[in-house]
Amino acid sequence: MAWIILLLSAVLEAVWATALEASNGFTVLAPSIIFAVAAAVSMAGLGYAMKHIPISTAYAVWTGLGAVLTVAWAMFTGTEEPGVLKLLFLAGIIGCVIGLKFVDKPNPEPVEPVSEPAEKSADA
């Protein structure tokens, strides 16, 4: 469940980044409201995911996918030109995010320390 919430939070990161640009410095009301709501929900989702996923992985996935989705949306809407190298580098970010999922290990349960045997006395 934490991974699903993290992925949805990354989508919301792209939403708030796009809304921030559309808000024109918070002078346009609707995108400003969308920014505020999406940013708050995205951060809350990231915070929840970090309870279950290591911070290094969760934050990298959140920022990486958010960045890829933001650029992809900008290319789709025509505000940014797509290019072979840009698409290659975006694919690299996606590959790295997928790789982080596979190397993420759940935190093991703490192991009780083993006590050392008592030293033998010198007269034995």
Side-chain angles (χ1 to χ4, degrees), residues 15-64:
V15 169
W16 69 250
T18 302
L20 180 61
E21 190 271 332
S23 76
N24 197 26
F26 299 111
T27 60
V28 183
L29 183 60
S32 298
I33 292 171
I34 291 169
F35 163 79
V37 172
V41 175
S42 179
M43 292 285 177
L46 175 62
Y48 173 81
M50 284 182 174
K51 288 181 177 180
H52 307 281
I53 300 169
I55 185 172
S56 57
T57 302
Y59 188 69
V61 168
W62 183 74
T63 57

Side-chain angles (χ1 to χ4, degrees), residues 6 8 13-14 22 25 31 33 43 47 49 57 67 73 83 85 91 97 101 103 107 114 116:
L6 181 61
L8 292 174
E13 184 191 2
I33 292 171
M43 292 285 177
T57 302
W73 180 255
L85 286 177
V97 165
K101 166 63 175 135
V103 298
N107 293 335
V114 178
E116 293 292 324

Side-chain angles (χ1 to χ4, degrees), residues 40-108:
V41 175
S42 179
M43 292 285 177
L46 175 62
Y48 173 81
M50 284 182 174
K51 288 181 177 180
H52 307 281
I53 300 169
I55 185 172
S56 57
T57 302
Y59 188 69
V61 168
W62 183 74
T63 57
L65 287 182
V68 166
L69 292 171
T70 302
V71 173
W73 180 255
M75 289 189 298
F76 179 76
T77 59
T79 57
E80 238 182 86
E81 290 291 319
V84 173
L85 286 177
K86 189 179 288 187
L87 293 172
L88 178 68
F89 293 135
L90 290 173
I93 293 172
I94 292 169
C96 290
V97 165
I98 291 169
L100 286 172
K101 166 63 175 135
F102 290 114
V103 298
D104 183 28
K105 302 268 191 258
N107 293 335

